[in-house]
Amino acid sequence: MVASSRIKVFVRLRPTNEDGKSSKNNTEGIDLPPNLLSLDTVSNTITISSPHPLRNTGRISPGLDQPAGSTNSTLNGGTLSPTTFQFDRLLPPPTTNSSLFQLSCVPLIRSALAGYNATLLTYGQTGAGKTFTTFGPPAGSGGSYKDRGLCARAVAGIFDELKKQDKGGIEVRVSCIEIYNESLFDLLGFAGGEDSQREVDDRKYSKANREAGAGTAVPTLALFESASSGPQVRGLRMVLVQNSEEGLNLLFESQMNRAIAEHQLNDASSRSHCIFTFHFVVRSEGGKVISSKLNIVDLAGSERLVKTEAAGQVQRESNYINKSLSFLEQVVIALASKSRDHIPYRQSKLTHVLKDSLGGNCNTLMIACVWPHLNHLDQTISTLKFATRMQMVKNKPTVNESSKSGVGSAKLLRQIKQLKEELAFHDIVSGRVAVMYEQPTPRDMQKVKDQIFAYIEDEGAEMEVQSLTHTRVIMAEMRRMIIEGKGEVGGGTTIMRTPRREEAGAGEGDGPLEPVGINPLFSGGNLAVEETMLSPTSDAYIARKKQIRGSEDVEAVGDEGVREMTPRSNMSVSPVKKRPEMKTRSPAGKDSNDYSTGQTPPPNVRSASPAQFATPPIKPYVGSDVVEKKAEFESFKLGAGKARSDALNRAKAQVKGKKRNIKELTNEINYNKDRIDFLMAQLRGTESGGSPTSPRAEDPTKQLKAAKKAYRVKMEELNECKSEYKFLLHQKEQCVQSLVTAFDSWIKMKVPEEEDSPVGRKDRTRAPDEDYGDDDDGTASPNLQPQARDYGDEFYSESPRAGRKEQEEYNKAQIQAKERVTERNATLKKSGEWKL
Ligand SMILES: Nc1ncnc2c1ncn2[C@@H]1O[C@H](COP(=O)(O)OP(=O)(O)OP(=O)(O)O)[C@@H](O)[C@H]1O
């Protein structure tokens, strides 16, 4: 019999201050008197009373609002006597994401890798810290790398764990679903290449979309129920990830696509539910397949419309959010009640998708986030009541094992076994040992790397290949190295080996160290700091750039992956600075370039680089239009877009600072490495009878030890710094996107569409060779495509008070933005760029 285990609940309290910092007056970071809220972190109880008895008691009905596990509140002379709740853990400020990860995520990762499904979900009112917990602080908010969320930590944690457990054969894929206004969207719908897989079949477009004949490229998803494996998402892209860097890039990618709207309570409120999933598959020799997944769910916040002053589109979203959370509550109530045999999972997409996690075969943990502020006490009580009910839900975690993996029939398995034996026999006869026929383990990979390095370092060396699999692995590894080394093998950047622990002095080996090849991108001497969060040639990066810049030549992207803040020109503003040359070599060998005059490129050029010319003939902006639009953008940055512009500047400054740190650390590492070489040469000289060191000088062996230690320490710091740098670059890109999107909406509201107006011009297409001039610090903006659901800051803050006309304009702008995305995606699909 399968043992059942109840859903665990942690309660996390955010610091009271609006800026997210702990209060100076209160060591706990909570500015509430103990008669309203008191915590006991030993018994994990929280006692709370509301100063608003009517609000608190208004919804209480026996057995519904007063869940078992909490002591009853009673009216006492007009005020409420306190209610006490008990949870698995109570996490007051200053609980960090780092410690929360250890407590919550690590056990779930382990259980998922052992074959059990696992879910971590965050729940709570808007602004209570759900997104901070799952995905970290919003970009440009000043939040730092050390605050990064559980999801980013899980990516790294999973690969660490795989390494620790030496589990080379596990296939890891990631997917990301957004549930927005009761529709499912694939947030990685654009990112997959050959290494991605679609669930069930390859129908990526919803039936409704196809029937409508429009919007065919919007990666909406359909949900259906499979008799054997429960709810499945049809068309979901699940991208294969080989290492944590790839995983992080996909995570960033998905979050960039997530709709963010502003409203009064939370500057970066998530208007959707988001489910980031890691899928694991282990295929054993006997044909058994164990599959499991880890879901990390960031639920949208419940909100009181009166408090958020939401209106228009935002209000509609709030209604959807509140409705789906209320269905979630109904499911939880039904599951917690012994007498209910029907659980209304199918009432909403959210509960349907989460069916496994609620009352299913999953290890589930909920982190209830609360905002312990006087204004939010009633919402806090609601959250705690819901959390208490959640604790009563029982799941039955089981290992998901199957033997029908497509090759699982007994006959096929027998055949495979025979063939393997045959192969082994041939290997023995031909004197070959340990031939690689299957997925390499980490140890195999290390051997492959060594083989490649030996091949590169020694001109006369030959590369011995054992099997087709081995050849493929070598090619893939070389490709990866070249990509990371920016393709300059034998040129400015040399592929260098990352020093292994022993070489950095961790072991006793005294062999000479490689030149400081800390990483091909940080190579010593000729420092090449990694310039972009996504490797500029990585699939995910290219996909992203294609997505946001349409058919533009993505390789023209600047150093830091983002360019100077010129708004996207296909909306309303064109570049001002350099007009770039997009050189394409014609068959005649001449450089054909500059189609900026609107000329359609000749057919030979089209075929030479379809990506560059996938858009229809282009009508560029010229002369004063450009200047005017640029001026509009500048005025936007000083006025309505100031907060976003400031956030971007802060993010840029952080990136610069981190880059400086990396340079300094690299210099120190180079210094230590030179010193180690020097001391080793000295020691070798002494051993071979060379001149002895002065008796007053410190023992060179000791010095060598110290230098190695310093080298190791700096290397660790550098690795940390590199991760932080990538994180900051990602944040900067988010700020860019946010500013550009806001500008688009702003300009649209400001200038109604007029054919003759440069900023309101209907023809928003642009020349393929437009450039985005570098700004002072060398950063530049990508040509971001509009997001279907972005909101300009001043619109949102104005919209509740704005008149009907403005509101209509606002809604119209939203619809048009959606149409533009749809149109652009359709073009991409037609041009074949959809499948990267
Ligand atoms: N534990 C915490 N420590 C520091 N800052 C926090 C913490 N929790 C939340 N914050 C800050 O509070 C603000 C709101 O948090 P967050 O966006 O995570 O809320 P949310 O619950 O996801 O809201 P919504 O449902 O509207 O998206 C953010 O600026 C965040 O940085």
Side-chain angles (χ1 to χ4, degrees), residues 469-499:
T469 309
H470 187 221
T471 314
R472 284 196 183 120
V473 170
I474 290 174
M475 299 300 278
E477 186 57 23
M478 282 179 122
R479 179 174 178 269
R480 191 188 65 78
M481 288 173 168
I482 290 169
I483 286 172
E484 287 184 7
K486 301 193 176 177
E488 293 179 50
V489 190
T493 309
T494 319
I495 291 182
M496 288 191 197
R497 174 150 53 110
T498 304

Side-chain angles (χ1 to χ4, degrees), residues 12-15 17-21 95 97 124-133 136-138 141 263 265-266 268-271 298-303 369:
R12 183 181 203 184
L13 295 93
R14 62 161 282 180
N17 290 1
E18 302 282 322
D19 61 3
K21 302 230 165 57
T95 303
N97 278 346
Q125 76 166 103
T126 189
K130 300 178 296 299
T131 307
F132 180 88
T133 301
S141 66
H263 64 92
L265 285 183
N266 184 2
S269 179
S270 329
R271 317 294 303 155
D298 178 22
L299 294 175
S302 55
E303 22 195 271
C369 297

Side-chain angles (χ1 to χ4, degrees), residues 563-566 575-578 771-775 779-781:
R563 291 185 175 228
E564 192 252 339
M565 269 318 311
T566 311
V576 185
K577 292 187 184 170
K578 295 183 278 182
D771 186 32
Y772 301 80
D774 287 341
D775 73 358
T779 59
S781 75

